[in-house]
Amino acid sequence: MLITAQDYVLGILAGDRLTLARTITLIESILPIHQQLAREIVDTLLPHTGKSVRVGITGVPGAGKSTYIESFGTMLTQKGHNVAVLAIDPSSTRSGGSILGDKTRMEKLAVNEKAFIRPSPSSGTLGGVGRKTRETMLVCEAAGYDVVIIETVGVGQSETTVASMVDFFLVLMIAGAGDELQGIKKGVLEVADAIVINKSDGDNIHRTKLAQREYETALHMLMPASANWSPPVLTCSSLFSTGIEEIWQTIIKHRDAFTESGEFEQKRKEQALEWMNFLVEDGLRSWFYLNPEVKKLLPDLKSAIALQKLSPTAAADKLLSLLIQVSG
Amino acid sequence: MSQHPDFKKWQELAEKQMKGKSIDTLNWQTPEGITVKPLYTAEDIEGLDSVNSLPGIAPYVRGPMATMYAGRPWTIRQYAGFSTAKESNAFYHKALAAGQKGLSVAFDLATHRGYDSDHPRVAGDIGKAGVAIDSVEDMKILFDGIPLDKMSVSMTMNGAVIPILAGYIVAAEEQGVSHDQLSGTIQNDILKEYLTRNTYIYPPTPSMRIISDIMTFCSENMPKYNTISISGYHMMEAGANSVLQTAFTLADGVEYVKAALKSGMDIDQFAPRLSFFFGIGMNFFMDIAMLRAARFLWFRLMSEYNPKNPKSSMLRTHCQTSGWSLTEQDPYNNIIRTTLEAMTAVLGGTQSLHTNSFDEAIGLPTDFSARIARNTQIIVQEESQVCNVIDPLGGSYYVESLTNEIIDEAQKIIDEIESLGGMAKAIESGMPKMRIEESAARKQARIDQGKDVIVGVNKYKLTDEKIDFEVREVPSSVRDEQIARLVEIKASRDTKLVEKTLNDIKEAAKNGGNLLAAALPAVRARATVGEISDAMESVFGRFVATTRCISGAYSSEYDANPEAINAIKERTTKFLEAQGRRPRLLVTKMGQDGHDRGFKIIASAYADLGFDVDISPMFQTPAEAAKMAVENDVHVVGASSLAAGHKALIPALIEELKKLGGHDIVVVAGGVIPPGDYDFLFKAGVAAVFGPGTPIPDSAGRTLALLEEKFLS
Ligand SMILES: Nc1nc2c(ncn2[C@@H]2O[C@H](COP(=O)(O)OP(=O)(O)O)[C@@H](O)[C@H]2O)c(=O)[nH]1
Ligand SMILES: [Mg+2]
């Protein structure tokens, strides 16, 4: 039985799959005692983290993210890398349960000894995917995974959260869905380090090339975030594993350029600060909503707003002043 | 004609008998979405295109042949195969002596997926769900003493069609039978494999090309051979209702026609050799109407291609009674179910029929249960006098009206598929699969609530059931025997020649030569099924399915007993509060069994009940399933087994879990598992076994109880 934080730490450093898996469970748990233990483990492991290439991948459902990771991850393991994949699955039902099917599209990678894939239900967490995914990434690094891939669906706010914890953020697109830029928020393009148009195979190749040109034009109109990197638009076929190597080379090139310019260090530092900010905000938020007085008052205020008996500003004032009293 | 002059009078009488309630309250909403009324009259069939044709004449509603069973009854064709070729051959000889008329070969899953018996991936599958065939030597034993120039042989093969059909042809050659004398059918229906059964090998494009190659070869060399059996059976077994079965099957048919035309053939060159295969369920009149409607629709669909030969637009079909309708509980009831379904197929006008054995929900048929199954249709054919009149239900107001409704509903779906660019494109889009799964989840919910009655399962249950009967076991020595024969063959053949012929197959695969023609020399040189499949795989690749699950369908249909559902939801929420996360279940299918209906219903229903459900890829080895269970850190693994591999695979899974340190992961099993094996599994460490027909709230409740005991106490 794993009992103490030290047990977990030793297991993770030894690369034990089960211990890593159970640590992630602790990180994802909604119980404060689990979270506390998880934090202790993560803190102890910190010196062993940070050495991986962190890649975030987003795209609409069906863009081919899982299939891409199957092909990309398999290639990386063949190059000798150890690959961890964290897949955030949005498919929760009304009752709160989820169907986690990512591994059915990562059939080869799922059984690969050099790969660790963990799909996580995204439901039921206050702070969204932020905290859990970041801590999970760190323990994977400590367990010896030198490439960590985070898959997230390009809906909601999870993708910007993910972008703020990785070194390279890849946006996966498909061609031929009518207006190419529709359905994808401008904000996502702004944080993209590369855009990849997937499914460039069969009778789709022509359309992907067209889309590639359109995206290139669109990206030209955006200010690049760094003087040393203009995000390229690439094409690939995840199904036939073409164009995958080029994407890895692009990631390496980005890393080299950023390391040389000092931006790599800088970005990681900024991300650490952002993380702290996030944790503070997240902590405040849960502290606020878990407060018994707030819990009691909130439903009444909500219905009062719905009935237009109270303005939202007045309601917010009421809640906040309540808290100032409580803490003061 | 207008309303029957006495209709008002009847209505008054009826409503009086119903204490004033409207007769509309007697309407029945079928799963197909058709409203069935309590009474049909002449008015209902007025002016319908599908009424009042003659048998043997377009549009063939009343049957493809002019004399139907009055001239010659349907062919009694029982699907069978298990263990080694020798054992199956002995079984066939007995069946033929006892009144069976044609052979129908079941292959084991390893063969279906193009693996030889010595492949590590298939250790649990050899000889289990069918006969193991590794080379033409096995094929020769399988047909020993069976004259292939006289016996029509049907083979259920879709993935490894090339080596198997070539094996059959070469076995015949070595009996002295020429190609043009061969008659029978190869299933060769790959599209439905991507939809339901998953026994494919290659991706869709090369698979469609293989079908065209077979059609071309056979149209030139084997004029009496049916090159494809377009199958709805597996869709029905996967949960499709009768309209979905009709629409998807015919749409598959249209896709094959288009592929053959594209490969340069003339419509009349291949269309007369297309045959169909429908599944027959317990909705008696619905499925009679389904077969009549299918013939009408096929005629109409094929007319677009202007065939000259009337046979090109004539739907001929084999039928099989439903496996899903069979129960493990009170199993002798299955004989009665099968009798009713056999009557349905016969009144619908099938050309050949398989009747299931009553023990099929439990294990492989024994000599005894196979005899009863065969006799079921022999008695219908020879004792009941139903054969004397052609299409006896022709003109029935109800049956004709229902036939017309199915025609209309199925046509709508066929049009929808056409607008997606045909069936291959529709399958890519996931539409048919989703529809079938939704239909399946709804059906399961109706059964679990007792809305669809199944005697012995959800009504009139036996309180203490003790019905013991023998089940057939396939000994694990079958694998050793097969491996020994492989070693022998490989030692005695001309290796150079094998290499050359396998290379020729690769060349044909690359450059578009006919693959069946290219495979014949390899089979003659004793190349194995696995080697020939590998040669093609090296060019085509192996197809990987994407598994998608619908959610919400189960709970939206399950409304009769919301307390049962809510109670479980509350317990999963309690579990979350106590454990910090929801109960997490991995559902997995190990071995080469590709039936994924049960597995998907479980996934979607359990998620509806508040579990986090991981689904594994298909065709896992126990070690792979264990890795996934540990990595995802699940509380429980549910192993689904429908193909007799459970005794090898499930204990192996438990061992693998232990190796990875997952001692505390609970393992439960479900599917077709003979009750006699339960103890064996319990001893191996399985915590619970759920037989077929276990309502989902029951299995979920019991699984949850195991977890509560282990993790919450
Ligand atoms: N033709 C083609 N299909 C692809 C490719 N990548 C993914 N797909 C298909 O697109 C569908 C969705 O893929 P999936 O990986 O599940 O997408 P996700 O929802 O973004 O994770 C699946 O049917 C894949 O087989 C590709 O490169 N080419
Ligand atoms: Mg995905």
Side-chain angles (χ1 to χ4, degrees):
Chain A
M1 263 319 254
L2 299 158
I3 311 275
T4 65
Q6 193 58 22
D7 292 338
Y8 284 95
V9 167
L10 290 176
I12 287 169
L13 292 177
D16 180 51
R17 212 174 276 280
L18 180 93
T19 313
L20 175 58
R22 301 231 154 141
T23 309
I24 298 173
T25 299
L26 290 176
I27 292 171
E28 290 177 349
S29 173
I30 61 163
L31 296 187
I33 51 159
H34 288 165
Q35 289 173 9
Q36 208 178 329
L37 181 57
R39 195 149 300 170
E40 214 177 307
I41 298 165
V42 175
D43 280 350
T44 320
L45 287 171
L46 269 184
H48 303 277
T49 66
K51 288 181 213 71
S52 82
V53 181
R54 303 167 175 176
V55 182
I57 294 177
T58 194
V60 294
K65 298 176 292 298
S66 302
T67 314
Y68 174 78
I69 293 170
E70 163 88 343
S71 164
F72 183 65
T74 304
M75 177 196 74
L76 292 175
T77 60
Q78 281 160 1
K79 288 181 186 288
H81 292 284
N82 293 314
V83 178
V85 178
L86 312 178
I88 300 155
D89 204 304
S91 64
S92 60
T93 64
R94 254 174 303 160
S95 63
S98 303
I99 297 175
L100 302 150
D102 290 282
K103 285 201 194 181
T104 62
R105 271 148 285 150
M106 303 183 198
E107 194 168 23
K108 288 203 196 78
L109 196 61
V111 301
N112 190 322
E113 282 303 319
K114 294 178 78 64
F116 180 97
I117 309 176
R118 176 70 173 237
S120 297
S122 68
S123 60
T125 42
L126 263 181
V129 297
R131 173 199 294 149
K132 298 188 303 189
T133 312
R134 181 160 185 128
E135 291 182 350
T136 302
M137 176 174 78
L138 296 177
V139 294
C140 287
E141 289 178 344
Y145 292 92
D146 59 354
V147 180
V148 180
I149 302 170
I150 303 174
E151 174 187 348
T152 173
V153 167
V155 288
Q157 39 96 336
S158 64
E159 72 266 17
T160 36
T161 316
V162 171
S164 73
M165 63 177 83
V166 297
D167 305 324
F168 196 92
F169 192 61
L170 195 157
V171 180
L172 208 62
M173 299 277 190
I174 33 178
D179 183 355
E180 301 301 351
L181 288 173
Q182 228 174 21
I184 157 112
K185 285 161 285 162
K186 196 159 151 275
V188 174
L189 291 186
E190 278 167 354
V191 292
D193 294 303
I195 289 176
V196 174
I197 304 163
N198 188 30
K199 308 198 187 181
S200 182
D201 47 52
D203 47 14
N204 208 22
I205 294 181
H206 177 64
R207 273 185 292 168
T208 35
K209 295 285 170 229
L210 280 180
Q212 184 178 25
R213 246 167 282 147
E214 282 185 41
Y215 280 115
E216 276 167 354
T217 318
L219 279 182
H220 271 306
M221 300 197 286
L222 288 176
M223 259 300 264
S226 157
N228 299 306
W229 189 254
S230 10
V233 182
L234 306 166
T235 62
C236 79
S237 167
S238 305
L239 216 51
F240 295 91
S241 297
T242 55
I244 307 291
E245 171 71 36
E246 288 76 358
I247 299 170
W248 177 240
Q249 291 313 324
T250 304
I251 295 173
I252 298 290
K253 221 166 84 191
H254 175 266
R255 194 179 174 86
D256 291 346
F258 269 43
T259 309
E260 199 176 320
S261 69
E263 282 162 290
F264 184 81
E265 274 300 299
Q266 185 63 27
K267 188 168 176 181
R268 286 235 170 147
K269 274 185 199 152
E270 278 168 19
Q271 287 179 346
L273 281 179
E274 257 179 72
W275 187 27
M276 187 199 72
N277 288 339
F278 169 80
L279 288 179
V280 170
E281 282 166 28
D282 191 43
L284 277 175
R285 198 177 300 121
S286 44
W287 174 65
F288 177 74
Y289 284 108
L290 290 174
N291 181 284
E293 298 287 319
V294 174
K295 268 186 172 170
K296 211 168 72 195
L297 202 58
L298 198 57
D300 292 344
L301 292 180
K302 275 187 181 163
S303 59
I305 293 174
L307 295 170
Q308 294 187 323
K309 284 191 187 149
L310 192 69
S311 79
T313 327
D317 273 350
K318 232 183 187 140
L319 283 169
L320 290 172
S321 61
L322 190 79
L323 252 117
I324 291 160
Q325 277 168 19
V326 169
S327 59
Chain B
M1 199 173 80
S2 56
Q3 208 175 54
H4 193 283
D6 286 337
F7 189 84
K8 282 262 150 358
K9 209 160 152 190
W10 169 78
Q11 189 171 358
E12 271 165 32
L13 269 174
E15 291 184 349
K16 204 166 127 203
Q17 273 178 25
M18 293 175 35
K19 312 226 158 46
K21 270 201 282 184
S22 149
I23 49 163
D24 290 346
T25 59
L26 296 178
N27 286 352
W28 166 51
Q29 207 63 40
T30 77
E32 288 77 12
I34 295 171
T35 306
V36 168
K37 302 185 293 181
L39 179 72
Y40 286 80
T41 62
E43 184 197 0
D44 291 297
I45 62 170
E46 217 177 284
L48 297 183
D49 287 348
S50 51
V51 174
N52 203 16
S53 61
L54 291 177
I57 297 173
Y60 310 110
V61 176
R62 310 198 61 189
M65 264 74 82
T67 54
M68 291 299 287
Y69 311 147
R72 194 172 65 123
W74 71 91
T75 305
I76 296 171
R77 191 191 292 280
Q78 298 293 87
Y79 177 56
F82 57 91
S83 182
T84 57
K86 197 166 155 228
E87 293 255 340
S88 292
N89 176 266
F91 187 89
Y92 296 158
H93 277 288
K94 271 189 258 175
L96 291 169
Q100 182 168 319
K101 288 292 180 312
L103 281 188
S104 174
V105 183
F107 296 95
D108 74 359
L109 290 163
T111 309
H112 274 289
R113 303 262 298 150
Y115 295 115
D116 284 338
S117 298
D118 57 358
H119 197 287
R121 207 158 247 296
V122 296
D125 292 308
I126 306 305
K128 291 287 165 60
V131 58
I133 300 289
D134 290 322
S135 73
V136 68
E137 292 299 336
D138 291 334
M139 215 43 131
K140 285 172 72 179
I141 299 170
L142 187 68
F143 296 121
D144 188 39
I146 296 171
L148 292 176
D149 51 343
K150 306 222 165 53
M151 179 63 58
S152 96
V153 176
S154 157
M155 296 191 291
T156 296
M157 179 50 68
N158 304 280
V161 271
I162 293 287
I164 289 298
L165 185 53
Y168 162 76
I169 295 171
V170 173
E173 285 174 2
E174 297 187 8
Q175 275 191 2
V177 175
S178 62
H179 297 180
D180 61 342
Q181 290 174 291
L182 292 172
S183 71
T185 307
I186 184 141
Q187 194 164 79
N188 199 22
D189 170 12
I190 202 70
L191 287 172
K192 64 100 174 38
E193 297 295 335
Y194 300 108
L195 262 184
T196 65
R197 211 169 66 129
N198 298 310
T199 39
Y200 41 68
I201 304 176
Y202 315 110
T205 309
S207 293
M208 288 297 283
R209 173 210 156 171
I210 287 175
I211 289 173
S212 294
D213 282 4
I214 290 175
M215 286 185 182
T216 309
F217 182 92
C218 292
S219 76
E220 285 161 12
N221 303 292
M222 295 160 65
K224 293 196 291 180
Y225 197 76
N226 295 321
T227 49
I228 195 164
S229 170
I230 306 157
S231 307
Y233 179 80
H234 313 85
M235 302 179 196
M236 179 196 68
E237 288 292 286
N241 63 45
S242 300
V243 163
L244 290 178
Q245 179 180 190
T246 308
F248 293 153
T249 307
L250 298 184
D252 276 348
V254 170
E255 194 73 25
Y256 294 127
V257 167
K258 287 188 201 156
L261 290 174
K262 211 169 123 194
S263 79
M265 276 190 272
D266 177 75
I267 185 85
D268 290 321
Q269 199 185 335
F270 65 90
R273 299 320 310 169
L274 303 177
S275 64
F276 286 81
F277 174 22
F278 280 91
I280 302 296
M282 281 302 286
N283 189 349
F284 190 78
F285 289 107
M286 183 67 75
D287 286 355
I288 295 173
M290 172 180 77
L291 294 179
R292 305 174 89 245
R295 284 191 293 266
F296 180 93
L297 282 164
W298 187 244
F299 168 75
R300 199 158 71 183
L301 289 164
M302 291 303 286
S303 298
E304 304 233 338
Y305 301 99
N306 300 314
K308 310 244 161 18
N309 185 346
K311 288 207 168 87
S312 290
S313 47
M314 200 182 273
L315 181 145
R316 294 166 304 123
T317 190
H318 173 68
C319 283
Q320 179 168 341
T321 58
S322 158
W324 192 3
S325 67
L326 304 186
T327 65
E328 183 195 358
Q329 297 86 343
D330 216 354
Y332 291 117
N333 290 341
N334 294 334
I335 300 174
I336 299 138
R337 295 191 177 100
T338 299
T339 309
L340 274 167
E341 290 167 347
M343 284 301 295
T344 303
V346 166
L347 293 174
T350 190
Q351 278 55 65
S352 61
L353 179 62
H354 166 102
T355 32
N356 280 327
S357 300
F358 66 84
D359 51 3
E360 222 130 325
I362 298 154
L364 289 171
T366 59
D367 284 351
F368 169 67
S369 67
R371 186 179 81 230
I372 301 294
R374 189 170 54 240
N375 284 343
T376 302
Q377 56 172 314
I378 293 179
I379 288 168
V380 172
Q381 190 171 95
E382 302 200 16
E383 295 187 19
S384 77
Q385 307 297 348
V386 289
C387 294
N388 300 328
V389 173
I390 302 161
D391 187 33
L393 290 174
S396 149
Y397 304 134
Y398 173 35
V399 171
E400 294 287 8
S401 173
L402 202 50
T403 302
N404 182 59
E405 296 249 28
I406 295 178
I407 291 171
D408 287 350
E409 292 304 313
Q411 183 67 51
K412 278 185 214 154
I413 299 173
I414 294 170
D415 291 344
E416 190 182 341
I417 290 163
E418 210 40 51
S419 74
L420 289 172
M423 196 58 173
K425 285 269 181 319
I427 290 174
E428 255 175 59
S429 82
M431 179 276 255
K433 209 168 176 141
M434 293 294 218
R435 293 280 172 87
I436 292 174
E437 281 163 22
E438 186 195 336
S439 170
R442 289 184 188 283
K443 178 163 181 165
Q444 186 65 47
R446 288 196 307 273
I447 293 168
D448 287 356
Q449 299 168 88
K451 285 185 185 170
D452 284 6
V453 171
I454 302 182
V455 171
V457 172
N458 60 11
K459 210 170 182 183
Y460 314 116
K461 281 191 254 188
L462 291 187
T463 38
D464 63 326
E465 178 157 9
K466 264 276 153 277
I467 298 178
D468 268 340
F469 50 81
E470 170 205 7
V471 288
R472 188 189 293 277
E473 282 255 5
V474 174
S476 50
S477 61
V478 170
R479 179 161 180 261
D480 305 332
E481 264 179 68
Q482 288 301 118
I483 293 176
R485 194 151 48 248
L486 275 169
V487 170
E488 207 180 294
I489 289 166
K490 286 185 182 171
S492 62
R493 63 190 187 176
D494 176 350
T495 322
K496 282 256 153 52
L497 183 60
V498 172
E499 263 167 40
K500 185 199 167 288
T501 52
L502 287 175
N503 248 324
D504 291 345
I505 292 177
K506 281 186 209 168
E507 280 308 308
K510 269 186 223 144
N511 304 327
N514 191 299
L515 283 164
L516 181 55
L520 291 173
V523 172
R524 290 185 195 117
R526 271 47 188 170
T528 65
V529 170
E531 288 167 335
I532 295 171
S533 299
D534 283 350
M536 289 189 283
E537 186 182 333
S538 72
V539 178
F540 296 149
R542 195 170 261 270
F543 182 71
V544 179
T546 57
T547 310
R548 294 208 183 280
C549 264
I550 42 140
S551 64
Y554 182 88
S555 56
S556 79
E557 182 81 29
Y558 198 109
D559 53 16
N561 187 0
E563 296 85 47
I565 297 287
N566 287 335
I568 293 177
K569 283 189 188 167
E570 266 166 39
R571 282 163 69 193
T572 51
T573 308
K574 278 224 179 76
F575 193 94
L576 165 69
E577 284 159 3
Q579 276 288 299
R581 60 172 177 150
R582 299 184 164 279
R584 189 160 177 172
L585 161 77
L586 168 66
V587 282
T588 184
K589 281 202 78 67
M590 292 176 291
Q592 294 301 305
D593 166 29
H595 293 92
D596 54 2
R597 168 180 58 80
F599 155 91
K600 287 185 155 175
I601 291 183
I602 294 286
S604 106
Y606 275 53
D608 284 354
L609 292 171
F611 284 70
D612 284 334
V613 185
D614 291 278
I615 39 186
S616 85
M618 310 283 289
F619 313 123
Q620 297 276 283
T621 64
E624 291 165 357
K627 176 179 187 268
M628 181 160 171
V630 165
E631 244 171 50
N632 294 14
D633 195 15
V634 300
H635 297 105
V636 50
V637 182
S640 152
S641 169
L642 291 169
H646 53 275
K647 273 172 96 172
L649 295 167
I650 300 175
L653 166 70
I654 294 174
E655 280 314 303
E656 294 292 340
L657 282 172
K658 283 188 189 149
K659 273 190 214 161
L660 295 173
H663 304 265
D664 55 349
I665 297 177
V666 176
V667 175
V668 299
V672 179
I673 296 175
D677 290 351
Y678 283 22
D679 266 342
F680 173 88
L681 292 176
F682 292 145
K683 285 210 183 82
V686 174
V689 182
F690 305 116
T694 312
I696 284 172
D698 284 8
S699 69
R702 279 165 63 195
T703 304
L704 203 48
L706 289 167
L707 302 186
E708 286 160 349
E709 190 186 330
K710 188 145 195 162
F711 298 99
L712 300 190
S713 59

